[in-house]
Amino acid sequence: MQLSTLITLTVATSMAALSAMAAPAAPKCGTVCPTVYQPVCAKAIDGLNKVFGNACELKNYNCKHPNANFVIVADSECLDFVAVEKRAASSGPKCDTVCPAVYQPVCAKAVNGLNKAFGNACELKNYNCKHPNANFVAVDNTECKDIPAPTPVCNMVCAEIFKPVCAKLQSGKSQTFNNACEMDVFNCEHPDDKAQLMANAACPATPAPTCNKVCPYNYDPVCAKIQSGETKSFGNACELNVYKCENPTDKIELVASADCAAAAPGCAIACPAVYQPVCAKYPNGNLQTFGNRCELTAFNCKNPAITFTAVTEGDCDAN
């Protein structure tokens, strides 16, 4: 009986020892870090930046918060003003310097371009110590009264994510941005034409104008100057309006209520008053009689859009 009990206890003790050896040891996250301030900027998997007093503090934080997984990105403080947790007083520099009660103002500028006046250089030093992300630098021994307002820095880098937003500009136009960040950059770069968010979606497409292409067949020519600077003849004012509708971005100007060629000096042809009829054919098949070949030539010169071709001598009705 005693032997059996002894064997049982021995086996139990051995199994407990094996279990203890197999179980992974929990990480120790209580490393005592030095009180030296050697800041590092780290980024978590969600993109958040955070400043740590030194690399040891970062290691302890990751140990206690394994889901954060901060990685060092710079051996300095983060410069993007992301809020960080307050470090223990022992982990950073002491910022309780007693400054003299003397007013010797200094104007300082932060990394974001902001100007700020301090009572003296000592107060500036204390402020930077308590707000390490600000990093104000003295630029003048004044109260910043004569320092011009900083020009906004629009160097924001937007993620390549397509989440379109529709915004209305001050000019009245609607514009689609790939995401809200790109709209913010636009507003920074165009302070006089800022965009106001209208919808979290792309702006609806502007429908193309419907152009009435049905015009009367009467020939009442007009001449217009088009975008290229050339002149163009239209059969009537209706055809000109159709052209304007189909080319809304072109600058089109009416120059004459006649065919463009009629105003050209080369078409001032004086034909003899002799009747030697010529039958001419229009491209659509219509026939027309001209008093003589000279009149046919003059007509074609003045009406280049309507070119008749002589088909036979004599009146068309006689053929």
Side-chain angles (χ1 to χ4, degrees):
M1 181 66 179
Q2 292 179 350
L3 179 60
S4 175
T5 302
L6 179 61
I7 293 173
T8 301
L9 290 174
T10 302
V11 171
T13 302
S14 299
M15 292 181 66
L18 290 173
S19 298
M21 293 174 61
K28 294 182 180 180
C29 305
T31 303
V32 178
C33 295
T35 58
V36 62
Y37 186 63
Q38 294 177 337
V40 293
C41 179
K43 179 174 287 188
I45 55 177
D46 61 357
L48 175 69
N49 292 337
K50 182 176 174 66
V51 177
F52 295 88
N54 50 52
C56 176
E57 291 185 10
L58 166 61
K59 184 178 179 181
N60 272 353
Y61 187 92
N62 279 339
C63 181
K64 295 176 182 179
H65 306 84
N67 290 332
N69 194 23
F70 276 93
V71 178
I72 294 178
V73 294
D75 292 326
S76 63
E77 295 175 349
C78 303
L79 301 180
D80 56 1
F81 294 91
V82 174
V84 298
E85 295 179 0
K86 293 183 178 179
R87 292 185 291 272
S90 61
S91 65
K94 295 183 179 180
C95 308
D96 54 357
T97 302
V98 178
C99 294
V102 59
Y103 186 64
Q104 294 176 338
V106 292
C107 180
K109 179 175 287 187
V111 292
N112 66 349
L114 176 68
N115 293 331
K116 181 176 176 65
F118 295 88
N120 51 52
C122 176
E123 291 184 7
L124 166 61
K125 183 178 179 181
N126 272 354
Y127 187 92
N128 279 338
C129 181
K130 295 176 182 178
H131 306 85
N133 284 336
N135 194 23
F136 275 94
V137 178
V139 293
D140 201 2
N141 294 323
T142 66
E143 296 179 346
C144 301
K145 293 180 180 179
D146 300 326
I147 305 298
T151 302
V153 179
C154 308
N155 59 352
M156 188 185 305
V157 178
C158 297
E160 295 182 2
I161 299 175
F162 185 66
K163 289 185 177 179
V165 294
C166 178
K168 187 174 184 179
L169 308 185
Q170 289 179 220
S171 59
K173 297 190 299 183
S174 296
Q175 183 167 333
T176 298
F177 296 91
N178 288 335
N179 51 55
C181 175
E182 291 190 5
M183 183 183 75
D184 292 339
V185 173
F186 178 91
N187 284 339
C188 181
E189 295 176 344
H190 303 82
D192 296 329
D193 192 20
K194 288 191 174 182
Q196 181 179 1
L197 181 65
M198 301 296 291
N200 290 317
C203 299
T206 303
T210 302
C211 302
N212 179 20
K213 299 182 180 181
V214 180
C215 290
Y217 290 105
N218 65 303
Y219 183 67
D220 188 10
V222 293
C223 180
K225 182 181 287 187
I226 59 177
Q227 184 75 14
S228 62
E230 300 175 338
T231 55
K232 180 177 177 65
S233 296
F234 297 89
N236 50 49
C238 175
E239 292 183 6
L240 171 60
N241 290 333
V242 171
Y243 184 87
K244 287 182 177 180
C245 181
E246 294 177 341
N247 301 273
T249 60
D250 285 5
K251 184 179 180 181
I252 304 169
E253 179 184 357
L254 179 67
V255 295
S257 296
D259 191 280
C260 297
C267 297
I269 302 172
C271 293
V274 57
Y275 186 67
Q276 293 177 342
V278 177
C279 181
K281 188 176 184 179
Y282 187 58
N284 65 0
N286 292 341
L287 298 175
Q288 183 169 329
T289 300
F290 292 87
N292 51 51
R293 283 188 173 271
C294 177
E295 291 183 6
L296 169 60
T297 301
F299 182 91
N300 284 339
C301 180
K302 296 177 181 179
N303 302 278
I306 307 175
T307 303
F308 279 90
T309 304
V311 292
T312 183
E313 300 290 336
D315 193 289
C316 295
D317 294 336
N319 296 314

